[in-house]
Amino acid sequence: MKTTKEELSGKRRMPKWWKQFWIGIAIAVSVLVVAQYATYLLGYIDLYKLCGGLIVLFLSIPLAYTVGYIKIEVLSGKTRMKLNRIAFIGAGACVSFLMALFGAAFFIWALGLPPLVNYMGQWPTLILFFIAPPIVGAFIGDWIGRRRNYRPYL
């Protein structure tokens, strides 16, 4: 027997994360659609790639919803904390790798220097740009996550 006001009216109250999720999806899809059209109009991609990119973009919305639903409604707090820790560590590693690689490339290009391989050799350069930054970034990401108690930014 229906007892609450919401049950009597047939309406269900949406969870708190619902509004944030759809606002984030709307912003992300808008930015990506504009970027797709800009690359098409500038001649970087053809019509076939534009259509394929838009199809993939709109087909990924249900996948994003499923991941969000499982993360918020299904997983326990302890499992969610582990996933957030993995995300902080992975994000720190990726960001530091990209910063080291593109930052060094821009610095060398801006100063007009020859490649670092000429100075240091192949293996030290490989270690300096492909091995050390992700390790340091993982530690920094874990440190930031620990300070935030692994709460996500969104």
Side-chain angles (χ1 to χ4, degrees):
M1 183 167 195
K2 296 183 178 184
T3 56
T4 64
K5 185 178 178 181
E6 293 172 350
E7 290 175 347
L8 290 174
S9 65
K11 294 181 182 178
R12 241 184 68 193
R13 186 171 173 204
M14 292 297 145
K16 182 181 174 184
W17 65 273
W18 183 265
K19 184 177 178 182
Q20 291 176 337
F21 172 79
W22 286 113
I23 289 172
I25 286 291
I27 291 170
V29 167
S30 301
V31 167
L32 291 173
V33 165
V34 168
Q36 284 276 333
Y37 278 115
T39 55
Y40 172 70
L41 294 175
L42 292 173
Y44 290 109
I45 60 173
D46 57 357
L47 186 61
Y48 179 72
K49 289 182 183 173
L50 172 69
C51 292
L54 293 176
I55 289 171
V56 168
L57 177 67
F58 286 109
L59 289 179
S60 65
I61 292 173
L63 178 66
Y65 174 77
T66 304
V67 169
Y69 176 79
I70 289 172
K71 187 177 176 189
I72 300 298
E73 300 286 336
V74 176
L75 297 178
S76 68
K78 189 174 181 180
T79 307
R80 206 174 311 140
M81 178 94 65
K82 285 181 186 177
L83 285 176
N84 288 341
R85 183 172 187 198
I86 291 169
F88 270 101
I89 291 171
C94 290
V95 167
S96 66
F97 171 73
L98 293 174
M99 285 176 55
L101 189 64
F102 291 115
F106 177 75
F107 184 70
I108 290 169
W109 172 77
L111 294 178
L113 299 173
L116 283 179
V117 176
N118 295 349
Y119 295 112
M120 299 172 46
Q122 184 177 4
W123 285 105
T125 304
L126 183 72
I127 292 170
L128 182 66
F129 289 114
F130 291 104
I131 296 174
I135 294 171
V136 172
F139 281 114
I140 292 171
D142 190 42
W143 176 71
I144 291 171
R146 207 175 305 124
R147 288 190 63 186
R148 292 184 46 80
N149 198 21
Y150 299 107
R151 288 187 321 268
Y153 281 103
L154 299 176

